[in-house]
Coordinates of all heavy atoms in Angstrom, one line a residue:
Chain F
K41 N -38.3 10.0 -18.3 CA -38.8 8.9 -17.4 C -38.9 7.6 -18.2 O -38.7 6.4 -17.6 CB -40.1 9.3 -16.9 CG -40.0 10.3 -15.7 CD -41.4 10.6 -15.1 CE -41.6 12.0 -14.6 NZ -41.1 12.4 -13.4
T44 N -35.3 6.1 -18.8 CA -34.7 5.6 -17.5 C -35.4 4.4 -17.0 O -35.1 4.0 -15.9 CB -34.5 6.7 -16.5 OG1 -35.8 7.3 -16.2 CG2 -33.6 7.7 -16.9
G45 N -36.5 4.0 -17.7 CA -37.3 2.9 -17.1 C -38.3 3.1 -16.1 O -38.9 2.2 -15.5
F46 N -38.5 4.4 -15.7 CA -39.6 4.7 -14.7 C -40.9 4.6 -15.2 O -41.8 4.1 -14.5 CB -39.2 6.0 -14.1 CG -40.1 6.4 -12.8 CD1 -40.0 5.6 -11.8 CD2 -40.9 7.4 -12.9 CE1 -40.8 5.8 -10.7 CE2 -41.7 7.7 -11.8 CZ -41.7 6.9 -10.6
L47 N -41.1 5.1 -16.5 CA -42.4 4.9 -17.1 C -42.3 4.0 -18.3 O -41.3 4.0 -19.0 CB -42.8 6.3 -17.8 CG -43.4 7.4 -16.8 CD1 -43.8 8.6 -17.7 CD2 -44.6 6.8 -16.3
L66 N -32.7 -3.5 -17.0 CA -31.8 -3.5 -15.9 C -30.5 -3.1 -16.5 O -29.7 -2.2 -16.0 CB -31.7 -4.8 -15.3 CG -32.6 -5.0 -14.1 CD1 -32.2 -6.3 -13.3 CD2 -32.7 -3.8 -13.1
R69 N -30.4 0.5 -17.5 CA -30.3 1.4 -16.3 C -29.0 1.4 -15.7 O -28.5 2.4 -15.0 CB -31.3 0.9 -15.2 CG -32.8 1.4 -15.5 CD -33.7 1.0 -14.4 NE -34.4 -0.1 -14.6 CZ -35.1 -0.8 -13.7 NH1 -35.0 -0.5 -12.5 NH2 -35.8 -1.9 -14.1
R70 N -28.2 0.3 -15.9 CA -26.8 0.1 -15.4 C -25.9 1.2 -15.9 O -25.0 1.6 -15.3 CB -26.3 -1.2 -15.5 CG -25.8 -1.9 -14.3 CD -25.6 -3.4 -14.5 NE -26.6 -4.1 -13.8 CZ -27.2 -5.2 -14.3 NH1 -27.0 -5.5 -15.6 NH2 -28.0 -5.8 -13.6
I71 N -26.1 1.5 -17.2 CA -25.2 2.4 -17.8 C -25.7 3.8 -18.0 O -25.0 4.7 -18.5 CB -24.9 1.9 -19.3 CG1 -26.2 1.7 -20.2 CG2 -24.1 0.7 -19.4 CD1 -25.9 1.5 -21.6
Y74 N -28.9 9.1 -13.8 CA -30.2 9.9 -13.9 C -30.4 10.8 -12.8 O -30.2 10.4 -11.7 CB -31.3 8.9 -14.0 CG -32.7 9.5 -14.2 CD1 -32.8 10.7 -14.9 CD2 -33.8 9.0 -13.5 CE1 -34.1 11.2 -15.0 CE2 -35.0 9.6 -13.6 CZ -35.2 10.7 -14.4 OH -36.5 11.2 -14.5
P76 N -33.3 12.9 -11.5 CA -34.8 13.1 -11.7 C -35.1 14.6 -11.5 O -34.3 15.3 -10.8 CB -35.5 12.2 -10.8 CG -34.4 11.2 -10.3 CD -33.1 11.9 -10.4
E77 N -36.1 15.2 -11.9 CA -36.6 16.5 -11.7 C -36.6 16.8 -10.2 O -37.2 16.1 -9.5 CB -37.8 16.7 -12.4 CG -38.3 18.1 -12.4 CD -39.6 18.3 -13.3 OE1 -40.2 17.3 -13.7 OE2 -40.0 19.5 -13.3
P80 N -34.5 14.5 -6.3 CA -34.8 13.9 -4.9 C -33.8 13.0 -4.3 O -33.0 12.5 -4.9 CB -36.1 12.9 -5.4 CG -35.8 12.6 -6.9 CD -35.2 13.8 -7.4
S81 N -33.8 13.0 -3.0 CA -32.9 12.1 -2.3 C -33.5 11.9 -0.9 O -34.4 12.6 -0.5 CB -31.6 12.7 -2.2 OG -31.6 14.1 -1.6
Y82 N -32.8 10.9 -0.2 CA -33.4 10.6 1.2 C -32.8 11.7 2.2 O -31.7 11.7 2.5 CB -33.0 9.2 1.6 CG -33.7 8.2 0.7 CD1 -33.0 7.6 -0.3 CD2 -35.0 7.9 1.0 CE1 -33.7 6.6 -1.2 CE2 -35.7 7.1 0.1 CZ -34.9 6.4 -0.8 OH -35.6 5.4 -1.7
E84 N -33.1 12.3 5.3 CA -32.7 12.0 6.6 C -31.4 11.3 6.6 O -30.7 11.0 7.6 CB -33.6 11.1 7.3 CG -33.7 9.6 7.0 CD -34.4 9.3 5.6 OE1 -35.0 10.2 5.1 OE2 -34.4 8.1 5.3
M85 N -30.7 11.0 5.4 CA -29.4 10.4 5.3 C -28.4 11.4 5.2 O -28.5 12.5 4.7 CB -29.4 9.4 4.0 CG -30.3 8.3 4.1 SD -30.1 7.2 2.6 CE -28.9 6.1 3.2
F90 N -25.8 8.3 1.8 CA -26.7 8.2 0.7 C -25.9 7.8 -0.6 O -26.3 6.9 -1.3 CB -27.3 9.6 0.4 CG -28.1 9.7 -0.8 CD1 -29.2 8.9 -1.0 CD2 -27.6 10.6 -1.9 CE1 -30.0 9.1 -2.1 CE2 -28.4 10.6 -3.0 CZ -29.5 10.0 -3.1
E92 N -23.2 6.1 -0.6 CA -22.7 4.6 -0.5 C -23.8 3.7 -0.8 O -23.6 2.6 -1.3 CB -22.2 4.5 0.9 CG -20.7 5.0 1.0 CD -20.1 4.9 2.4 OE1 -20.7 4.3 3.3 OE2 -19.1 5.4 2.6
F93 N -25.0 4.1 -0.4 CA -26.2 3.4 -0.7 C -26.3 3.2 -2.2 O -26.6 2.2 -2.7 CB -27.5 3.9 -0.1 CG -28.8 3.5 -0.8 CD1 -29.1 2.2 -0.5 CD2 -29.5 4.3 -1.5 CE1 -30.4 1.7 -1.1 CE2 -30.7 3.8 -2.2 CZ -31.1 2.6 -1.9
I94 N -26.2 4.4 -2.9 CA -26.3 4.3 -4.4 C -25.3 3.5 -4.9 O -25.5 2.7 -5.9 CB -26.2 5.8 -4.9 CG1 -27.4 6.7 -4.4 CG2 -26.3 5.8 -6.5 CD1 -28.7 6.3 -5.1
R96 N -23.7 0.9 -3.6 CA -24.0 -0.6 -3.4 C -25.2 -0.9 -4.4 O -25.1 -2.0 -5.0 CB -24.4 -0.8 -2.0 CG -23.1 -0.9 -1.1 CD -23.5 -1.5 0.3 NE -24.4 -0.5 0.9 CZ -24.0 0.5 1.7 NH1 -22.8 0.7 1.9 NH2 -24.9 1.2 2.4
A97 N -26.2 -0.1 -4.5 CA -27.3 -0.4 -5.4 C -26.8 -0.5 -6.9 O -27.3 -1.3 -7.7 CB -28.3 0.7 -5.4
R98 N -25.7 0.2 -7.2 CA -25.1 0.1 -8.5 C -24.0 -1.1 -8.6 O -23.3 -1.3 -9.6 CB -24.3 1.3 -8.8 CG -25.2 2.5 -9.0 CD -25.3 2.9 -10.4 NE -26.3 3.9 -10.6 CZ -27.2 3.9 -11.6 NH1 -27.2 2.8 -12.4 NH2 -28.0 4.8 -11.8
G99 N -24.1 -2.0 -7.5 CA -23.3 -3.2 -7.5 C -22.0 -3.1 -6.9 O -21.2 -4.1 -7.1
F100 N -21.5 -2.0 -6.5 CA -20.1 -1.9 -6.0 C -20.2 -2.4 -4.5 O -21.1 -2.2 -3.8 CB -19.7 -0.4 -5.9 CG -19.5 0.1 -7.2 CD1 -20.4 1.1 -7.8 CD2 -18.4 -0.3 -8.1 CE1 -20.2 1.6 -9.1 CE2 -18.3 0.2 -9.4 CZ -19.3 1.1 -9.8
K101 N -19.1 -3.1 -4.0 CA -19.2 -3.7 -2.7 C -18.1 -3.1 -1.7 O -17.1 -2.6 -2.3 CB -18.9 -5.2 -2.8 CG -19.7 -6.0 -3.8 CD -20.5 -7.1 -3.1 CE -21.3 -8.0 -4.1 NZ -22.1 -7.2 -5.0
Q141 N -24.9 11.5 -7.3 CA -25.4 10.1 -7.3 C -25.6 9.7 -8.8 O -25.5 8.5 -9.1 CB -26.7 9.8 -6.5 CG -28.0 10.4 -6.9 CD -28.6 10.0 -8.2 OE1 -28.5 8.9 -8.6 NE2 -29.3 10.9 -8.7
H145 N -21.1 6.2 -10.9 CA -20.7 5.0 -11.5 C -20.1 5.2 -12.8 O -19.9 4.3 -13.6 CB -21.7 3.8 -11.7 CG -22.9 4.5 -12.4 ND1 -23.7 5.5 -12.0 CD2 -23.6 3.9 -13.5 CE1 -24.7 5.8 -12.8 NE2 -24.6 4.8 -13.7
D146 N -19.7 6.5 -13.2 CA -19.2 6.9 -14.3 C -20.0 6.4 -15.6 O -19.4 5.6 -16.4 CB -17.7 6.4 -14.5 CG -16.9 7.1 -15.7 OD1 -17.4 8.1 -16.1 OD2 -15.8 6.6 -16.1
P147 N -21.2 6.7 -15.6 CA -22.1 6.2 -16.6 C -21.8 6.7 -18.1 O -21.2 7.7 -18.2 CB -23.5 6.7 -16.2 CG -23.2 8.0 -15.6 CD -21.9 7.9 -14.9
Q148 N -22.2 5.8 -19.0 CA -21.9 6.2 -20.4 C -22.9 7.2 -20.9 O -22.7 8.0 -21.8 CB -22.0 4.9 -21.3 CG -20.8 4.1 -21.1 CD -21.1 2.6 -21.5 OE1 -21.7 1.9 -20.7 NE2 -20.7 2.2 -22.7
D153 N -32.6 15.9 -15.7 CA -33.8 16.6 -15.8 C -33.7 17.9 -15.1 O -33.8 17.9 -13.8 CB -35.0 15.7 -15.3 CG -36.3 16.2 -15.9 OD1 -36.3 17.2 -16.4 OD2 -37.3 15.4 -15.6
E177 N -16.6 12.3 -23.3 CA -16.7 10.9 -23.6 C -18.1 10.4 -23.5 O -18.3 9.2 -23.6 CB -15.6 10.1 -22.7 CG -15.9 10.0 -21.4 CD -15.6 11.2 -20.5 OE1 -15.5 12.4 -21.0 OE2 -15.5 11.0 -19.3
K178 N -19.0 11.2 -23.0 CA -20.4 10.7 -22.7 C -21.4 11.1 -23.6 O -21.3 12.1 -24.3 CB -20.7 11.0 -21.2 CG -20.0 10.5 -20.2 CD -20.6 10.8 -18.8 CE -19.5 10.7 -17.7 NZ -18.8 9.4 -17.6
Chain A
M1 N -15.4 1.3 -17.1 CA -16.7 2.0 -17.5 C -17.9 1.2 -17.0 O -18.8 1.7 -16.5 CB -16.7 2.2 -19.0 CG -15.8 3.3 -19.6 SD -16.6 4.9 -19.2 CE -17.6 5.0 -20.5
S2 N -17.8 -0.2 -17.3 CA -19.1 -0.9 -17.0 C -19.1 -1.2 -15.5 O -18.1 -1.4 -14.9 CB -19.1 -2.2 -17.9 OG -18.1 -3.1 -17.2
T3 N -20.4 -1.1 -15.1 CA -20.5 -1.3 -13.5 C -20.8 -2.8 -13.3 O -21.4 -3.5 -14.2 CB -21.7 -0.5 -13.1 OG1 -22.8 -0.8 -13.7 CG2 -21.3 1.0 -13.2
P4 N -20.4 -3.3 -12.2 CA -20.6 -4.7 -11.8 C -22.0 -5.1 -11.7 O -22.8 -4.2 -11.4 CB -19.8 -4.8 -10.5 CG -19.8 -3.5 -9.9 CD -19.8 -2.6 -11.0
K5 N -22.3 -6.3 -12.0 CA -23.8 -6.7 -11.8 C -23.8 -7.1 -10.3 O -23.0 -7.7 -9.7 CB -24.1 -7.9 -12.6 CG -24.2 -7.6 -14.0 CD -24.8 -8.9 -14.8 CE -24.9 -8.4 -16.3 NZ -25.5 -9.5 -17.0
S6 N -25.0 -6.6 -9.6 CA -25.1 -7.0 -8.2 C -26.1 -8.2 -8.2 O -27.0 -8.3 -8.9 CB -25.8 -5.8 -7.5 OG -26.9 -5.3 -8.2
S7 N -25.7 -9.0 -7.2 CA -26.5 -10.3 -7.0 C -27.8 -9.8 -6.4 O -28.0 -8.8 -5.8 CB -25.8 -11.2 -6.1 OG -25.9 -10.8 -4.8
S10 N -27.9 -9.3 -2.3 CA -27.2 -8.2 -1.8 C -28.0 -6.8 -2.1 O -27.8 -6.0 -1.3 CB -25.8 -8.2 -2.3 OG -25.8 -7.9 -3.7
S11 N -28.7 -6.9 -3.2 CA -29.6 -5.6 -3.5 C -30.6 -5.5 -2.5 O -30.9 -4.4 -2.1 CB -30.1 -5.7 -5.0 OG -29.1 -5.8 -6.0
N14 N -29.2 -4.3 0.8 CA -28.8 -2.9 0.6 C -30.1 -2.1 0.9 O -30.0 -1.0 1.7 CB -28.2 -2.6 -0.7 CG -27.7 -1.2 -0.8 OD1 -27.2 -0.6 0.1 ND2 -27.7 -0.6 -2.0
V15 N -31.1 -2.3 0.1 CA -32.4 -1.6 0.3 C -32.9 -1.6 1.7 O -33.3 -0.6 2.3 CB -33.5 -2.1 -0.7 CG1 -34.9 -1.4 -0.4 CG2 -33.0 -1.7 -2.2
R17 N -31.3 -2.3 4.5 CA -30.3 -1.5 5.3 C -30.7 -0.1 5.4 O -30.7 0.6 6.4 CB -28.8 -1.7 5.1 CG -28.3 -2.9 5.7 CD -26.8 -3.1 5.3 NE -26.0 -2.0 5.3 CZ -24.7 -1.9 5.0 NH1 -24.1 -3.0 4.6 NH2 -24.0 -0.8 5.1
R18 N -30.8 0.5 4.2 CA -31.1 1.9 4.1 C -32.5 2.2 4.7 O -32.6 3.2 5.5 CB -31.2 2.3 2.5 CG -31.0 3.8 2.4 CD -32.0 4.4 1.3 NE -33.4 4.2 1.7 CZ -33.9 5.1 2.5 NH1 -33.4 6.0 3.1 NH2 -35.3 4.9 2.7
E19 N -33.4 1.4 4.5 CA -34.8 1.6 4.9 C -34.8 1.5 6.5 O -35.3 2.4 7.2 CB -35.7 0.5 4.3 CG -37.1 0.7 4.7 CD -37.8 1.8 3.9 OE1 -37.3 2.2 2.8 OE2 -38.9 2.1 4.2
S21 N -32.2 2.1 8.6 CA -31.6 3.1 9.2 C -32.5 4.4 9.2 O -32.4 5.2 10.0 CB -30.3 3.4 8.6 OG -30.4 4.0 7.2
G22 N -33.3 4.4 8.2 CA -34.2 5.5 7.9 C -35.3 5.7 9.2 O -35.6 6.7 9.6
S25 N -33.7 7.3 12.2 CA -33.2 8.7 12.2 C -34.5 9.7 12.2 O -34.3 10.8 12.2 CB -32.4 9.0 10.8 OG -33.1 8.5 9.7
T26 N -35.7 9.0 12.3 CA -36.9 9.9 12.5 C -37.6 9.4 13.7 O -37.2 8.3 14.2 CB -37.9 9.8 11.3 OG1 -38.3 8.3 11.2 CG2 -37.2 10.2 10.0
E84 N -42.2 7.5 -0.2 CA -41.3 7.6 -1.4 C -41.9 8.4 -2.6 O -41.3 9.1 -3.2 CB -41.0 6.2 -2.0 CG -40.4 5.2 -0.9 CD -38.8 5.2 -1.2 OE1 -38.3 5.9 -2.0 OE2 -38.3 4.5 -0.3
S87 N -41.9 12.3 -1.6 CA -40.6 12.9 -1.7 C -39.9 12.8 -3.0 O -38.9 13.4 -3.4 CB -39.7 12.3 -0.5 OG -39.4 11.0 -0.9
G88 N -40.6 12.0 -4.0 CA -40.0 11.8 -5.3 C -38.9 10.7 -5.3 O -38.4 10.6 -6.4
T89 N -38.5 10.2 -4.2 CA -37.5 9.3 -4.2 C -37.8 8.0 -4.9 O -36.9 7.2 -5.3 CB -36.9 9.0 -2.8 OG1 -38.1 8.7 -1.9 CG2 -36.1 10.1 -2.2
I90 N -39.0 7.8 -5.1 CA -39.5 6.6 -5.7 C -38.9 6.5 -7.2 O -38.5 5.4 -7.7 CB -41.0 6.4 -5.9 CG1 -41.4 5.1 -6.4 CG2 -41.6 7.5 -6.6 CD1 -42.9 4.6 -6.1
E91 N -38.8 7.7 -7.7 CA -38.2 7.8 -9.1 C -36.7 7.5 -9.1 O -36.1 6.8 -10.0 CB -38.4 9.2 -9.7 CG -38.2 9.3 -11.1 CD -38.6 10.6 -11.8 OE1 -39.2 11.4 -11.1 OE2 -38.2 10.7 -13.0
L92 N -36.1 7.9 -8.1 CA -34.7 7.6 -7.8 C -34.4 6.1 -7.7 O -33.6 5.4 -8.4 CB -34.1 8.4 -6.7 CG -32.6 8.2 -6.4 CD1 -31.8 9.2 -7.3 CD2 -32.3 8.6 -5.0
L93 N -35.2 5.6 -6.8 CA -35.1 4.1 -6.4 C -35.4 3.2 -7.5 O -34.6 2.1 -7.7 CB -36.0 3.9 -5.2 CG -35.9 2.7 -4.4 CD1 -34.5 2.6 -3.7 CD2 -37.0 2.6 -3.3
L94 N -36.4 3.5 -8.3 CA -36.8 2.4 -9.3 C -36.2 2.8 -10.6 O -36.4 1.9 -11.6 CB -38.4 2.6 -9.4 CG -39.2 2.1 -8.2 CD1 -40.7 2.2 -8.5 CD2 -38.7 0.7 -7.8
T95 N -35.4 3.8 -10.7 CA -34.4 3.9 -11.9 C -33.0 3.4 -11.6 O -32.2 3.3 -12.5 CB -34.4 5.3 -12.5 OG1 -34.0 6.3 -11.5 CG2 -35.8 5.8 -13.0
L96 N -32.8 3.0 -10.4 CA -31.5 2.3 -10.2 C -31.6 0.8 -10.7 O -32.6 0.3 -11.0 CB -31.3 2.2 -8.6 CG -30.9 3.5 -7.9 CD1 -31.0 3.4 -6.4 CD2 -29.5 3.9 -8.4
P97 N -30.5 0.2 -11.0 CA -30.5 -1.1 -11.6 C -30.9 -2.2 -10.5 O -30.3 -3.1 -10.2 CB -29.0 -1.4 -12.1 CG -28.2 -0.5 -11.3 CD -29.0 0.7 -10.9
L98 N -32.2 -2.0 -10.0 CA -32.7 -2.9 -9.1 C -34.1 -3.4 -9.6 O -34.8 -2.6 -10.2 CB -33.0 -2.3 -7.7 CG -31.8 -1.6 -7.0 CD1 -32.4 -0.8 -5.8 CD2 -30.8 -2.6 -6.6
T99 N -34.5 -4.6 -9.4 CA -35.8 -5.0 -9.8 C -36.8 -4.5 -8.8 O -36.5 -4.2 -7.7 CB -35.9 -6.4 -10.0 OG1 -35.8 -7.1 -8.7 CG2 -34.9 -7.1 -10.9
K107 N -37.7 -3.4 1.3 CA -38.5 -2.5 2.1 C -39.4 -3.3 3.2 O -39.5 -2.9 4.3 CB -39.4 -1.5 1.4 CG -38.6 -0.4 0.8 CD -39.4 0.5 -0.2 CE -40.2 1.5 0.5 NZ -39.5 2.6 1.0
K250 N -46.4 3.1 -10.7 CA -45.3 3.7 -9.9 C -45.2 5.3 -10.1 O -44.8 6.0 -9.2 CB -44.0 3.1 -10.2 CG -43.6 3.1 -11.7 CD -42.4 2.0 -11.8 CE -42.0 1.8 -13.2 NZ -41.0 0.8 -13.5
A251 N -45.5 5.7 -11.2 CA -45.3 7.1 -11.6 C -46.6 7.9 -11.2 O -46.5 9.2 -11.4 CB -45.0 7.3 -13.1

Side-chain angles (χ1 to χ4, degrees):
Chain F
K41 285 184 212 287
T44 52
F46 187 60
L47 275 181
L66 276 187
R69 279 185 261 164
R70 228 168 257 135
I71 55 171
Y74 178 40
E77 190 173 0
S81 54
Y82 293 101
E84 79 280 359
M85 295 181 94
F90 174 66
E92 284 177 5
F93 163 70
I94 297 287
R96 282 191 298 269
R98 294 252 172 226
F100 298 106
K101 305 238 181 316
Q141 72 63 34
H145 56 302
D146 194 17
Q148 288 153 281
D153 199 349
E177 76 277 23
K178 293 187 200 310
Chain A
M1 283 284 277
S2 69
T3 55
K5 287 189 182 184
S6 50
S7 75
S10 69
S11 297
N14 186 32
V15 172
R17 269 175 54 178
R18 197 218 69 75
E19 185 79 12
S21 72
S25 52
T26 62
E84 299 265 359
S87 64
T89 44
I90 189 166
E91 193 172 349
L92 183 81
L93 194 58
L94 295 181
T95 54
L96 287 169
L98 306 169
T99 64
K107 284 175 81 78
K250 54 190 170 186

